[in-house]
């Protein structure tokens, strides 16, 4: 089975970073609290929810991309653009339960989580915003599925964390039963009914599949990997 270090580098359209250690710590504290409160291993919060509104969001993170509409300036220089986090910022976290949770957790509020990744990302441009998109727009407004499944797709199966699925798998069965249930129901629904197009999947995850058949096969493998002891970690296309 391929490990994270054996996979080629994967990048999305934006290069992002936190601008200070304090901004990172504040984001991680808020995301961890949301994970515990909402039983969500892939919480997504808006910048305003963590840092406050407007100018309070400035100086917390930077995102740079090459403008796809005009990749070069008239002088031939690469045309980089910056995201405006004061109005469109999102914070992603990916967590996994600690292996010793069953022995040490006195209650659900004491659940120990390991951090896999925390990162800032622009939101609300042309892509699908996982924090606000109606479930019906993705064909996910069905019994057993809630917002946490959208977070799972955008965060855990998204471009920044999809190759870390192997770290999640070994402790996934220690997650909250209601969380496992919504992920199980969501993956089954996507495989059986294929409500999302490959274009929607890219807009949500920044992972591009060549066609619907390949996306369906991949999601079936993710289900088998997490719930049916399928040995090989599914590898999304680069």
């Amino acid at each position: 089975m391929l490990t994270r270090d054996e996979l080629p580098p994967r990048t999305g359209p934006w290069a992002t970073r936190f601008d200070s250690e304090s901004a990172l710590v504040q984001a991680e504290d808020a995301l961890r609290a949301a994970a515990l409160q909402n039983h969500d291993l892939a919480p997504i919060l808006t910048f305003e929810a963590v840092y406050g509104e407007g100018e309070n969001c400035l100086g917390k993170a930077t995102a740079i991309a090459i403008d796809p509409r005009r990749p070069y300036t008239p002088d031939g220089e690469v045309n980089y653009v910056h995201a405006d986090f004061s109005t469109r910022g999102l914070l992603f976290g990916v967590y996994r339960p600690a292996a010793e949770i069953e022995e040490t957790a006195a209650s659900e509020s004491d659940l120990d989580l390991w951090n896999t990744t925390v990162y800032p990302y622009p939101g609300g441009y042309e892509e699908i915003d996982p924090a606000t998109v109606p479930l019906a727009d993705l064909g996910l407004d069905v019994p057993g599925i809630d917002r946490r499944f959208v977070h799972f797709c955008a965060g855990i199966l998204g471009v920044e964390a999809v190759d870390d699925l192997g770290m999640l798998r070994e402790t996934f069965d220690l997650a909250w039963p209601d969380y496992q249930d919504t992920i199980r129901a969501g993956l089954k629904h996507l495989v059986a009914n294929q409500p999302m197009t490959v274009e929607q999947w890219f807009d949500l995850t920044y992972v591009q599949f060549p066609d619907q058949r390949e996306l369906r096969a991949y999601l079936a493998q993710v289900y088998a990997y997490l719930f049916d002891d399928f040995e090989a970690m599914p590898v999304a296309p680069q």
Side-chain angles (χ1 to χ4, degrees):
M1 181 176 69
L2 290 174
T3 66
R4 182 66 174 85
D5 293 339
E6 293 171 323
L7 292 168
R10 184 189 297 277
T11 59
W14 294 95
T16 68
R17 71 178 188 204
F18 286 99
D19 289 342
S20 67
E21 183 178 353
S22 61
L24 168 59
V25 170
Q26 193 172 351
E28 208 279 324
D29 286 347
L31 287 164
R32 183 178 292 271
L36 291 169
Q37 178 179 349
N38 301 323
H39 291 189
D40 189 354
L41 292 181
I44 299 175
L45 297 174
T46 64
F47 262 49
E48 290 87 346
V50 176
Y51 301 124
E53 298 181 358
E55 293 186 357
N56 291 323
C57 296
L58 299 178
K60 302 299 191 300
T62 296
I64 301 173
I66 299 173
D67 189 341
R69 296 162 298 184
R70 193 165 66 98
Y72 297 98
T73 68
D75 298 330
E77 299 292 328
V78 177
N79 188 27
Y80 290 107
V81 294
H82 291 75
D84 180 7
F85 278 112
S86 67
T87 59
R88 295 168 173 166
L90 294 172
L91 296 165
F92 289 71
V94 176
Y95 295 91
R96 60 197 191 279
E100 59 271 13
I101 170 184
E102 291 184 329
E103 288 79 21
T104 62
S107 67
E108 288 187 341
S109 62
D110 295 327
L111 179 65
D112 187 18
L113 298 177
W114 285 329
N115 170 257
T116 301
T117 186
V118 170
Y119 58 93
Y121 226 73
Y125 288 82
E126 296 179 357
E127 77 285 358
I128 294 172
D129 186 336
T132 62
V133 61
L135 297 183
D137 287 2
L138 303 178
L140 299 177
D141 189 15
V142 298
I145 300 176
D146 56 39
R147 176 67 51 182
R148 293 175 297 176
F149 182 67
V150 180
H151 291 177
F152 171 84
C153 295
I156 293 175
L157 300 184
V159 68
E160 299 290 338
V162 65
D163 294 330
D164 296 324
L165 192 60
M167 284 193 287
L168 178 75
R169 189 257 188 107
E170 64 178 295
T171 60
F172 190 83
D173 60 350
L174 298 176
W176 307 276
D178 61 302
Y179 181 76
Q180 292 186 51
D181 288 345
T182 195
I183 304 308
R184 183 184 290 108
L187 287 171
K188 281 186 174 181
H189 177 63
L190 288 184
V191 171
N193 301 300
Q194 303 183 65
M196 292 179 61
T197 65
V198 292
E199 291 79 16
Q200 287 177 307
W201 187 261
F202 176 80
D203 288 343
L204 182 64
T205 66
Y206 291 124
V207 177
Q208 182 69 65
F209 282 83
D211 54 46
Q212 205 73 23
R213 182 181 63 84
E214 292 289 337
L215 174 58
R216 182 178 184 272
Y218 170 75
L219 293 171
Q221 290 177 13
V222 171
Y223 181 91
Y225 185 66
L226 292 178
F227 297 108
D228 288 340
D229 296 323
F230 184 70
E231 288 299 324
M233 186 186 86
V235 178
Q238 293 293 318

